[in-house]
Amino acid sequence: MTGTAAADRIGAKRLVFILAALLAFAVLLSLGAWQVYRLQWKEALLQSIQLRTASPSKPLAELELLHARSGEIDYWPVTATGRFEHINERHFFATHKGASGFYIYTPLRLADSRILFVNRGFVPYDRKDPVARAEGQVQGEVTVTGLARDRLTSKPSWVVPDNDPNENIYYWKDLESMARAGGYRLDGVVVPFFVDADAAPNPGGLPVGGVTIVDLPNNHLQYAITWFGLAAALAGVFAFWLMRQRSG
């Protein structure tokens, strides 16, 4: 190999290294900027949740009007009165305080005959069968106070398992599937959002209410610092390499 060919080869390797370093630097900066954006979004969300959950409870009719206007009523306190139709309760796989089990979504028949699906709370895995918690299957008219929760229009991620209505096990909040399994028509019959019941105790202790997660994790600042720190480290290594090249 001639000296010119060897020099060209070294030059090509240097060019590839420089381009790869610049690309990596751009990617790290982009990831850091994305986490800054997510930090701002999460802080606004947490502020909204805090404001809403601290508000007085609203009648269901008021929440329905708000939902009709904005399409979003997550975490607003709400009160509704009706009769539970326990025979059509749906079971949402969940964990609570380290234990696996189910959230119990029970249709609440309102005075106008419509249906509101209420997440009454958590039951351990071995208490999924309503017979194992008969005391908690309250009868007659009840008033439920809790937090309104938006429905999902699709499965949130491909890693989430598909719901299994035949086995009455749900992995994501598919209101349409829950309504259909109970024999309810969604349009005009089922209220288009859920309610998570508060922590008021149920007879027999189950389900355990008040399971809504309102203290969402917010680690975006740490992530942003990590990505920007890696970008700074890469810039330092690259600068050192350039000085070595020039001195060589």
Side-chain angles (χ1 to χ4, degrees), residues 131-214:
V131 175
R133 45 183 169 83
E135 290 181 65
Q137 306 297 86
V138 293
Q139 303 298 317
E141 188 173 84
V142 296
T143 296
V144 176
T145 299
L147 298 177
R149 301 304 313 277
D150 290 325
R151 59 179 292 196
L152 298 179
T153 56
S154 62
K155 190 165 67 169
S157 169
W158 64 269
V159 300
V160 176
D162 292 329
N163 291 329
D164 188 353
N166 292 331
E167 294 297 324
N168 195 359
I169 297 178
Y170 291 78
Y171 299 97
W172 62 279
K173 298 190 300 182
D174 186 351
L175 179 59
E176 182 175 356
S177 177
M178 291 181 179
R180 189 167 54 245
Y184 309 116
R185 288 188 303 105
L186 190 67
D187 185 21
V189 175
V190 177
V191 176
F193 53 85
F194 299 96
V195 169
D196 287 355
D198 63 15
N202 287 300
L206 293 176
V208 177
V211 296
T212 313
I213 298 174
V214 295

Side-chain angles (χ1 to χ4, degrees), residues 2-245:
T2 64
T4 301
D8 290 343
R9 193 171 204 181
I10 292 173
K13 289 182 177 180
R14 287 176 177 172
L15 179 60
V16 170
F17 175 77
I18 291 172
L19 292 176
L22 291 175
L23 176 61
F25 185 70
V27 169
L28 291 172
L29 286 180
S30 297
L31 290 171
W34 169 246
Q35 290 301 328
V36 170
Y37 168 78
R38 293 288 291 177
L39 173 64
Q40 295 170 341
W41 169 82
K42 182 61 70 68
E43 288 180 340
L45 175 61
L46 290 172
Q47 185 177 16
S48 174
I49 292 174
Q50 184 179 15
L51 174 66
R52 292 186 180 188
T53 55
S55 301
S57 182
K58 302 176 183 295
L60 180 63
E62 186 175 336
L63 259 292
E64 290 186 272
L65 289 175
L66 180 61
H67 182 269
R69 289 197 300 266
S70 68
E72 186 274 313
I73 41 74
D74 241 357
Y75 300 104
W76 280 112
V78 59
T79 298
T81 299
R83 296 173 181 269
F84 283 124
E85 297 190 351
H86 298 290
I87 192 172
N88 289 325
E89 69 177 29
R90 301 289 96 191
H91 304 143
F92 179 91
F93 184 77
T95 58
H96 180 66
K97 296 183 178 180
S100 62
F102 299 91
Y103 292 159
I104 305 301
Y105 281 79
T106 306
L108 183 71
R109 178 73 68 175
L110 304 172
D112 59 7
S113 295
R114 292 183 306 139
I115 291 294
L116 171 68
F117 272 88
V118 176
N119 174 11
R120 299 186 63 213
F122 177 81
V123 300
Y125 198 88
D126 60 355
R127 306 289 290 277
K128 176 176 181 284
D129 188 342
V131 175
R133 45 183 169 83
E135 290 181 65
Q137 306 297 86
V138 293
Q139 303 298 317
E141 188 173 84
V142 296
T143 296
V144 176
T145 299
L147 298 177
R149 301 304 313 277
D150 290 325
R151 59 179 292 196
L152 298 179
T153 56
S154 62
K155 190 165 67 169
S157 169
W158 64 269
V159 300
V160 176
D162 292 329
N163 291 329
D164 188 353
N166 292 331
E167 294 297 324
N168 195 359
I169 297 178
Y170 291 78
Y171 299 97
W172 62 279
K173 298 190 300 182
D174 186 351
L175 179 59
E176 182 175 356
S177 177
M178 291 181 179
R180 189 167 54 245
Y184 309 116
R185 288 188 303 105
L186 190 67
D187 185 21
V189 175
V190 177
V191 176
F193 53 85
F194 299 96
V195 169
D196 287 355
D198 63 15
N202 287 300
L206 293 176
V208 177
V211 296
T212 313
I213 298 174
V214 295
D215 187 17
L216 305 180
N218 185 11
N219 300 315
H220 298 293
L221 178 59
Q222 294 92 310
Y223 296 154
I225 291 173
T226 298
W227 292 122
F228 285 137
L230 289 172
L234 176 60
V237 170
F238 186 72
F240 178 76
W241 178 81
L242 279 180
M243 288 188 294
R244 289 288 300 271
Q245 296 300 307

